[in-house]
Amino acid sequence: MDKKIAFIPGDGVGPEIIKQVVKVLEAVSKKYKIHFEYEELLIGGIAIDQTGEPLPKKTIEICKESDAVLLGAVGGWKWDNLPGDLRPEAGLLSIRKELGVFANLRPAILFPQLKSASFLREDILEGGIDVMIVRELIGGIYFGEKKRENIENGHKAWDTMVYSTYEIERIVRKAYEIARKRDNRLTLVDKANVLESSRLWREVTAKISQEYGGVRTSYMYVDNAAMQLIRNPKQFDVIVTGNMFGDILSDEASMLTGSLGMLPSASLGEDGPGIYEPIHGSAPDIAGQDKANPIGTIMSIAMMLRYSFDMADAAIDVEDAVSKVLDKGYRTLDIMQNGMTLVGTEKMGDVIADAIN
Ligand code: IPM
Ligand code: MG
């Protein structure tokens, strides 16, 4: 078997974490007799520097021909003052749109070894944390009409939160399918007490819920959900929500697990290649210093093996390898605890790859 993976390291810590993934994939390749072919592509700030645009055409073309896309991170101070459509982030949003990956799966799972790295009290963590946030990724306020006008005394600017029935249906269905394979509970998070688009989400979800009788559906306003995630995270199994709410809640959920650096994500469409990326950003403050935690990216590889390559056994191997390495006491700076062994990005990649062999 042969799989072609588009590698897009991007900016900041992106390149150094993507490098660790190659080690892990080579270990998987050996064990499962599968050949991975990599093609490295440009996105974000580095793409702006080299080609003048955040998402070069070549990157789009090669991604579309690939079996999966692995992304590092984009953005950095250097490009912060560029106009919105030329910022590195615009490249990330465009590749998501180009590949039609409307469903962004962001699991927040607490490794028992990292309990004390969590920001929550031990009694709240009792029994573990396992929440799956399913975030709509190519619609809503990120992609609605934006505008700026000159008015007396300054400017007026707006962004539009817009969703159609069809866009809601496909993401809600995806979330129900996922809930069915988990604990059969789904919470729609919205702001239906204020926003018309949220009221449409509720109507559509209520209708679809009838097709999924085995799944218990609940509805929650986003402000309450932000609070409940901290107060009692175990009440959640699958959360389905729009683009911006999902962006915010997934960062919050990561803190339940200790570090943003631990969490992977998968972005999937109807068909075609998925995009796999850690949920953390480019962390320019620690870039190039061998400090970044590569586990979020390595866990993204597990998601890639599972969702794009149908290799559940290999996915479990990767997840187990991470767990074993944590058992042995290896920690990057972000999850360092007393008595553990502090390692850098490279070493963490090495020990995880070794644990697969
Ligand atoms: C994320 C990031 C991006 C987003 C940014 C970098 C555009 O925060 O993947 O969560 O908002 O989607
Ligand atoms: Mg985010």
Side-chain angles (χ1 to χ4, degrees), residues 233-247:
K234 281 194 289 282
Q235 71 185 284
F236 298 109
D237 177 27
V238 172
I239 290 177
V240 63
T241 190
N243 203 341
M244 187 163 67
F245 298 153
D247 177 43

Side-chain angles (χ1 to χ4, degrees), residues 127-147:
I129 300 282
D130 184 358
V131 181
M132 174 69 93
I133 296 182
V134 179
R135 167 191 179 194
E136 198 291 323
L137 199 61
I138 54 175
I141 196 165
Y142 274 49
F143 290 91
E145 195 197 350
K146 326 179 170 289
K147 221 163 139 184

Side-chain angles (χ1 to χ4, degrees), residues 74 89 92-93 96 104 106 135 137 142 243 247 250-251 277-279:
V74 300
E89 289 81 358
L92 179 60
L93 299 186
R96 290 170 175 170
N104 183 214
R106 297 191 160 186
R135 167 191 179 194
L137 199 61
Y142 274 49
N243 203 341
D247 177 43
S250 58
D251 268 30
E277 50 178 319
I279 84 157

